[in-house]
């Protein structure tokens, strides 16, 4: 896994943030990421799918949100070959940290990368089942890239009304060796 500060230039990032946090981008509820022992749904998440799991662009917002991110990934990773899925996540504050189940994003594909781009600063984070991995803190314009087959989960925030991030899954022609960034000028550990 590696961490990239200032993933996008400030103007592009602020444009994306303005769209993501506006009332003009529709979000759709995803319930049941975590179930209590009695079956009650404990966790809600709102998403806006830009590219679905069939690699189809299904949002008119892709050009404004997705394209600049893909262009940046291509500069960072010359082995980029295909965008598999891209979605915007909006986590509402639930008054206490709620942990989703550990998961991998694309169960039918094991050779891909996941990039999580924070849109706002919160005390929410993504954590890994492999506990030696550091948490991915939710920080504005900070991206984390890791192998897609690493089980991870989201932990909700308590210090802001919403936590927004963009989750991107993509394939490369060469699978990144764990903890070996291709272009060190982009990486800040």
């Amino acid at each position: 896994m590696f961490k990239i500060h200032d993933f996008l230039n400030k103007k592009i990032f602020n444009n994306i943030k303005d769209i993501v946090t506006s009332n003009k981008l529709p979000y759709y509820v995803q319930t049941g990421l975590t179930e209590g022992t009695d079956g009650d749904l404990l966790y809600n998440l709102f998403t806006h799918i830009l590219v679905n799991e069939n690699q189809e662009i299904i949002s008119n917002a892709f050009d404004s949100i997705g394209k600049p991110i893909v262009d940046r990934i291509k500069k960072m990773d010359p082995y980029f070959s295909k965008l598999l899925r891209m979605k915007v996540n909006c986590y509402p504050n639930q008054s206490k940290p709620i942990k989703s189940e550990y998961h991998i994003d694309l169960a039918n594909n094991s050779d891909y990368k996941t990039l999580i781009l924070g849109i706002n600063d919160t005390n929410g984070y993504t954590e890994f089942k492999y506990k030696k991995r550091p948490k991915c803190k939710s920080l504005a314009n900070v991206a984390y890239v890791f192998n897609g087959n690493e089980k991870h989960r989201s932990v909700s925030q308590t210090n802001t009304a919403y936590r927004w991030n963009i989750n991107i899954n993509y394939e490369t022609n060469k699978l990144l060796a764990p903890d070996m960034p291709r272009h060190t000028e982009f990486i800040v550990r």
Side-chain angles (χ1 to χ4, degrees):
M1 178 179 75
F2 55 96
K3 176 181 178 180
I4 308 164
H5 290 273
D6 300 316
F7 179 71
L8 297 168
N9 82 44
K10 193 172 190 170
K11 183 178 178 183
I12 291 171
F13 176 77
N14 286 335
N15 183 56
I16 290 172
K17 181 178 181 178
D18 289 347
I19 295 166
V20 166
T21 61
S22 76
N23 63 1
K24 300 200 181 348
L25 189 70
Y27 287 92
Y28 303 92
V29 69
Q30 308 293 313
T31 58
L33 290 177
T34 299
E35 292 188 15
T37 54
D38 57 1
D40 290 340
L41 298 178
L42 299 174
Y43 195 74
N44 290 309
L45 162 71
F46 298 94
T47 62
H48 181 91
I49 307 294
L50 297 163
V51 177
N52 68 17
E53 290 186 29
N54 295 320
Q55 294 92 49
E56 300 166 326
I57 296 170
I58 61 168
S59 171
N60 292 333
F62 178 79
D63 285 344
S64 301
I65 298 172
K67 187 172 180 340
I69 294 170
V70 171
D71 290 345
R72 177 64 173 88
I73 292 170
K74 287 178 179 179
K75 285 181 182 174
M76 173 191 74
D77 189 344
Y79 299 112
F80 175 93
S81 64
K82 181 169 52 172
L83 183 61
L84 299 175
R85 186 183 73 162
M86 181 182 286
K87 66 179 184 143
V88 181
N89 295 321
C90 176
Y91 302 88
N93 186 324
Q94 298 187 47
S95 302
K96 63 181 181 178
I98 305 288
K99 297 181 177 187
S100 70
E101 295 292 328
Y102 284 111
H103 66 278
I104 57 173
D105 292 346
L106 304 174
N108 295 327
N109 188 334
S110 61
D111 291 336
Y112 67 95
K113 301 285 170 243
T114 297
L115 185 148
I116 299 174
L117 175 62
I119 300 299
N120 63 325
D121 292 347
T122 78
N123 63 359
Y125 55 91
T126 298
E127 69 179 0
F128 294 89
K129 190 166 188 174
Y130 180 64
K131 296 298 182 191
K132 292 189 178 188
R133 283 270 189 233
K135 296 174 184 173
C136 299
K137 295 178 182 178
S138 185
L139 300 170
N141 204 14
V142 173
Y144 293 87
V145 181
F146 53 92
N147 289 323
N149 60 1
E150 292 186 59
K151 287 194 170 192
H152 59 280
R153 68 179 173 188
S154 180
V155 180
S156 65
Q157 81 290 352
T158 59
N159 66 332
T160 59
Y162 299 98
R163 172 184 172 216
W164 286 279
N165 65 28
I166 301 175
N167 179 293
I168 300 101
N169 305 113
Y170 67 96
E171 284 183 351
T172 59
N173 290 327
K174 282 186 169 181
L175 191 61
L176 178 67
D179 297 324
M180 295 292 293
R182 291 194 182 90
H183 292 289
T184 55
E185 67 270 19
F186 291 117
I187 310 307
V188 177
R189 291 200 183 263

